[in-house]
Amino acid sequence: MELSTLKKLRKVVPGTVFLFFSVPAYQFCVDDIYKIDDSLKFPLEGYGAVLAIIIGSFFGTLKVRRLRNKKTHKEINENIKTRLLMEGLAEHRSEDEKIKIKNSRKLMHIFYHLIDNDQSLKEKSKLVRDNGLIWTSTADVAILGCFFSWVYLILILIYGIDALLVSAGLMIGSIGLISGAILHPRTVKEHIGLGNEQIEFILTNHKSELQRRVAELFH
């Protein structure tokens, strides 16, 4: 997957999920509350793609996903930086010096530089982006599943128990829970595994350059 495609899909996915989760609430409102005639209902199906992009873009500006993924993103990057430093540092350095380098973005810059200058690593990075989309999408589903489960609970408290609202709330809550508690951690492990594969390739084909660049960080 190309980076430009990944960025687009990271807007489309949460917007689409939002619309999907909101359908039961929309049906309940127009059918049971407002009693709108079918001919006067807003034609959502004709604007679904546009709405998905708009909602997804707004969702992205809220930075909720970033907060949700902050811990796992750090875990993924820490694994890369730890391995690069361990394998690339050929001379003795104090723990304080190594911690200072690890806390910066310099090791990640080396990592991305090596990827950008090797065609095989570029191809491997497409697999990383594919998994990255699943990683962020499972987080989106978990966030929106939690949000909409509360929306349906509030609607039930206001308008009373309704079969549509109850079933929708339970289904969406379950989807969000499964996505956040089961699927998301698996994508993190897969992401770490793919990162390790890239590092193994670097150690096999570019170890001398890695050691040279890591050494330069301490001078």
Side-chain angles (χ1 to χ4, degrees):
M1 181 186 299
E2 299 299 330
L3 182 59
S4 58
T5 304
L6 177 63
K7 290 180 178 180
K8 290 176 183 177
L9 289 176
R10 280 181 171 170
K11 294 178 181 179
V12 173
V13 169
T16 302
V17 172
F18 186 97
L19 291 177
F20 176 72
F21 284 173
S22 66
V23 168
Y26 172 77
Q27 291 178 337
F28 175 76
C29 289
V30 299
D31 292 338
D32 294 349
I33 300 178
Y34 301 113
K35 309 294 183 182
I36 299 176
D37 184 80
D38 287 342
S39 62
L40 298 178
K41 292 178 183 178
F42 184 71
L44 269 178
E45 61 275 8
Y47 298 88
V50 176
L51 284 173
I53 293 173
I54 294 173
I55 294 170
S57 299
F58 177 72
F59 182 82
T61 63
L62 296 177
K63 309 297 183 184
V64 181
R65 180 201 296 145
R66 180 177 295 181
L67 292 174
R68 172 67 171 74
N69 283 359
K70 184 177 180 179
K71 182 179 178 180
T72 54
H73 187 257
K74 182 179 180 180
E75 182 182 351
I76 292 167
N77 282 351
E78 283 298 309
N79 175 69
I80 294 172
K81 290 191 285 188
T82 299
R83 290 209 60 195
L84 289 178
L85 189 60
M86 180 178 65
E87 301 288 353
L89 187 59
E91 56 186 6
H92 177 73
R93 290 289 175 176
S94 68
E95 287 300 316
D96 288 341
E97 287 179 301
K98 289 190 282 188
I99 289 173
K100 182 179 179 180
I101 293 298
K102 279 185 66 177
N103 288 338
S104 70
R105 293 283 301 171
K106 294 178 180 179
L107 286 167
M108 295 305 298
H109 293 328
I110 292 174
F111 182 66
Y112 294 134
H113 171 79
L114 292 172
I115 289 175
D116 290 340
N117 286 276
D118 187 288
Q119 192 59 41
S120 296
L121 282 171
K122 280 185 178 181
E123 289 300 314
K124 288 181 180 294
S125 67
K126 292 179 181 180
L127 296 176
V128 176
R129 292 191 190 110
D130 289 343
N131 189 74
L133 177 62
I134 301 173
W135 172 57
T136 55
S137 296
T138 52
D140 293 340
V141 173
I143 294 166
L144 292 171
C146 178
F147 171 76
F148 273 97
S149 62
W150 280 102
V151 169
Y152 286 104
L153 176 60
I154 292 170
L155 288 175
I156 290 170
L157 291 175
I158 294 175
Y159 297 104
I161 295 177
D162 179 89
L164 176 62
L165 295 180
V166 172
S167 59
L170 289 174
M171 179 191 72
I172 291 171
S174 299
I175 291 173
L177 181 62
I178 292 170
S179 183
I182 299 176
L183 300 181
H184 187 73
R186 290 187 178 182
T187 64
V188 174
K189 290 181 180 179
E190 179 67 16
H191 218 73
I192 291 174
L194 290 170
N196 285 333
E197 288 182 15
Q198 290 177 303
I199 292 171
E200 291 298 329
F201 186 93
I202 290 171
L203 294 177
T204 302
N205 298 280
H206 305 287
K207 188 168 184 177
S208 59
E209 183 180 359
L210 172 63
Q211 291 178 335
R212 178 178 62 81
R213 288 186 171 276
V214 169
E216 289 174 353
L217 298 180
F218 292 89
H219 297 145

